[in-house]
Amino acid sequence: QVQLVESGGGLVQAGGSLRLSCAASARTFSTYAMAWFRQAPGKEREFVAAIKWGGSSTVYAPSVKGRFTISRDNAKNTVYLEMNLLKPDDTAVYYCAADSGNFGIRRSQYHYWGQGTQVTVSS
């Protein structure tokens, strides 16, 4: 069983930055693909970014590419999401997800989820 705990959310003005963190309990964290998803009120949970177990490969949703950066520190069992040039449309609850298989953009690929952290971007 893998437990994921997100942190770093908050309220920020448009154009600002935030860094989200996700701490994982897995002893074999370095073998897990990690991802971030988000869910805005009244909308489906959507893919944001993912990173392969070794960190060599990443993939981003078109809406965040060039503004967000996913990274991981396997020594700290932590994955990060650096968010820059934030927009009001980025307002959502952000969820960390993990899976021992290949990384990807589909929700169904990830078996472990955190509780989420709220990000609110004011205009």
Side-chain angles (χ1 to χ4, degrees), residues 38-120:
R38 68 186 182 185
Q39 188 167 15
K43 294 188 177 181
E44 294 288 320
R45 192 171 300 187
E46 64 176 6
F47 171 77
V48 175
I51 187 167
K52 207 171 183 180
W53 60 271
S56 59
S57 296
T58 57
V59 61
Y60 296 91
S63 60
V64 307
K65 194 170 186 179
R67 299 188 298 121
F68 291 11
T69 302
I70 188 171
S71 63
R72 65 190 298 160
D73 185 339
N74 287 341
K76 295 183 178 180
N77 278 22
T78 302
V79 65
Y80 304 97
L81 185 67
E82 183 76 35
M83 304 186 294
N84 298 313
L85 299 175
L86 283 160
K87 306 174 182 178
D89 284 349
D90 295 318
T91 295
V93 177
Y94 283 71
Y95 296 91
C96 177
D99 197 79
S100 59
N102 293 325
F103 84 128
I105 67 172
R106 297 193 307 272
R107 285 177 56 183
S108 60
Q109 292 180 272
Y110 295 90
H111 289 89
Y112 304 103
W113 292 83
Q115 294 299 306
T117 185
Q118 176 71 46
V119 171
T120 303

